[in-house]
Amino acid sequence: GHTDAPTLAQDFATPARPIRCSLSRTVPAEATPRAGPKTTTKGNYFMPRPLDRTPDGNAAKQMSKTILGLDIHPDGVFAVVLKSGLKGAQLIGSAAAALAPADDPAEALTRAIAEIGEVLDIAGSDCIAGLPDGLVSYRNLTLPFTEERKIRQVLPFELEASLPFPVDQAVMDFYRVHTVEQTRLLAGVVHGDQLGELLAALAAAGLAPEAVGAGGFAAARCLAERAGADGDLLLIDIAPGHGQVTVLMAGKIHLIYPFSTGEGVTAADIGSHVGRALAALEGLSPEDCQPVRALLTGNLAADPGLPAEIAAELEIPVAPLDLAGRVAGLLPQPVAEGWHSCRFDRALALARAGTGGRAVLNVRGGAFAPRRKWAEHRTTLMRLVALALVVLLLGAAKLGLEVYRLNQR
């Protein structure tokens, strides 16, 4: 845990009370895969590296670099650039661009990123991209073993019956919720074709993300790190057209419940969705969840009166997430014009994932895994090695000829 930010207990002046809303039981690199060995025996199934590693698989100790967190929504793109070094990370810029309706969504995304590139210097940055919420499906599972290898082998078979498309077209990763003698986990699943289309659009914009995850999960994971075991929490993410309720218990993400917001959302709507999320959790977790606080993020959370309205509905304290404010020294002073925490929390969380140790639910693995930088220049390196060998052979031949002439004399 980090000691440079206040705990959640310091964020609210009002005492916490358990939630008492009525619960309903109605629970609603390369853009294309590369050829190569399959990562499981179940078709062309894609599984990335374990979550407990940094997106590039390296240790957390890294030299100074810039990291781009790119949060993609159906109606816009939000970007945050961090500068990471041995002394920590600092936010150096943020920008947003609307995704205008277009016949070709990939072209619209390319234009939006180009617009962001006019505001931020993103060239050469390590990119961590967040998928639109509608592309990610979440599933809670319990498996009777704890070994990483077994989980990855069995996961596609366990998910097959619940997916709306063939499992051999799925790209997935998982997060451990609880591990003792068995494993409770949260899996994130994306259709491989949709991931490929997104990577193609990013490649057209000059970006090759090191990791591709879910922005909502990244924000919740970052919050869990800051909050630790500071009571049961709700993270409510609301944006035009979609939203999600994330339930955190004892510093772990136990459930992500997506919902539709339509053109807008009211406090009563939020209360209903929270009730359904908690009802769903009752059948998935043996622990009793009693949320004592709720935090808001997302575009629609910018309404200054909404936290008080939701607090009255849920009967618990509610406040903006303000992820940058929870990480001491991250946000520059004075704050840059146009910075609104509710709009950029997810992009910031994605960028933080690239600073080491804060993994995302990364679906860019297997056949979609990015090429390592040495692999991108492998042909050039091989040519240089061959040239060096030729030079060495010529030098040896010349030296041998000189020795022969000296012996003849």
Side-chain angles (χ1 to χ4, degrees):
H2 300 270
T3 59
D4 55 355
T7 64
L8 289 180
Q10 297 172 303
D11 294 332
F12 300 94
T14 57
R17 292 176 293 164
I19 191 167
R20 295 197 299 269
C21 63
S22 66
L23 302 181
S24 168
R25 284 290 178 183
T26 305
V27 179
E30 294 65 37
T32 57
R34 301 197 307 272
K38 297 173 182 178
T39 56
T40 183
T41 56
K42 185 72 177 178
N44 190 18
Y45 165 75
F46 311 115
M47 177 68 81
R49 63 180 59 88
L51 263 175
D52 294 332
R53 299 180 66 84
T54 55
D56 60 2
N58 295 323
K61 292 181 180 179
Q62 302 175 35
M63 300 302 291
S64 178
K65 62 178 181 179
T66 57
I67 304 152
L68 169 66
L70 197 69
D71 185 28
I72 303 170
H73 289 249
D75 60 345
V77 181
F78 301 87
V80 163
V81 175
L82 294 182
K83 185 173 183 180
S84 174
L86 297 176
K87 295 183 178 180
Q90 186 175 25
L91 189 150
I92 60 175
S94 62
L99 273 177
D103 295 333
D104 184 359
E107 182 180 343
L109 179 58
T110 301
R111 288 199 300 266
I113 294 174
E115 184 178 334
I116 288 173
E118 294 177 357
V119 179
L120 298 177
D121 182 10
I122 61 176
S125 298
D126 290 350
C127 178
I128 312 294
L131 291 162
D133 285 335
L135 299 187
V136 186
S137 298
Y138 297 100
R139 300 289 187 275
N140 287 77
L141 294 172
T142 300
L143 299 177
F145 39 75
T146 62
E147 295 86 346
E148 182 87 19
R149 179 181 57 84
K150 287 185 179 180
I151 292 174
R152 293 183 179 276
Q153 288 177 341
V154 170
L155 190 56
F157 298 93
E158 293 291 329
L159 292 173
E160 184 173 13
S162 66
L163 295 180
F165 48 83
V167 72
D168 61 356
Q169 298 175 13
V171 189
M172 60 188 74
D173 198 8
F174 70 92
Y175 165 79
R176 293 176 186 263
V177 177
H178 181 76
T179 300
V180 181
E181 294 180 353
Q182 59 183 7
T183 301
R184 297 208 313 268
L185 59 86
L186 175 67
V189 188
V190 181
H191 196 291
D193 290 348
Q194 294 176 321
L195 177 60
E197 291 170 1
L198 178 70
L199 291 174
L202 293 175
L207 296 177
E210 287 289 317
V212 178
F217 176 89
R221 184 75 185 266
C222 204
L223 171 60
E225 290 181 348
R226 312 310 299 177
D230 191 24
D232 299 344
L233 305 173
L234 298 175
L235 176 59
I236 304 172
D237 187 340
I238 44 179
H242 59 86
Q244 62 185 33
V245 176
T246 302
V247 182
L248 297 94
M249 300 168 59
K252 287 285 188 175
I253 302 168
H254 281 246
L255 179 76
I256 296 180
Y257 177 86
F259 59 86
S260 173
T261 61
E263 295 298 323
V265 65
T266 66
D269 295 332
I270 296 298
S272 177
H273 293 307
V274 168
R276 293 190 177 101
L278 295 178
L281 184 62
E282 283 187 8
L284 298 170
S285 173
E287 292 91 359
D288 181 29
C289 180
Q290 293 291 332
V292 295
R293 295 177 179 85
L295 298 168
L296 296 183
T297 189
N299 276 352
L300 296 183
D303 182 350
L306 190 59
E309 295 174 7
I310 297 176
E313 183 73 23
L314 300 182
E315 298 186 352
I316 57 175
V318 178
L321 172 59
D322 188 17
L323 195 57
R326 298 182 185 278
V327 185
L330 183 64
L331 202 61
Q333 297 295 335
V335 177
E337 183 180 357
W339 173 262
H340 300 284
S341 61
C342 60
R343 302 176 68 204
F344 292 100
D345 281 332
R346 291 162 53 127
L348 178 59
L350 290 164
R352 289 277 292 172
T355 64
R358 300 165 187 85
V360 296
L361 202 58
N362 180 20
V363 294
R364 188 163 195 197
F368 289 98
R371 287 180 179 268
R372 297 296 129 210
K373 294 183 178 180
W374 70 266
E376 296 175 1
H377 304 288
R378 181 171 55 186
T379 301
T380 302
L381 291 174
M382 291 180 66
R383 288 175 179 173
L384 290 173
V385 170
L387 180 60
L389 288 174
V390 170
V391 171
L392 287 173
L393 289 174
L394 289 175
K398 183 179 179 181
L399 180 60
L401 182 60
E402 291 292 335
V403 171
Y404 175 76
R405 287 177 178 174
L406 290 173
N407 290 337
Q408 289 295 103
R409 293 177 184 177

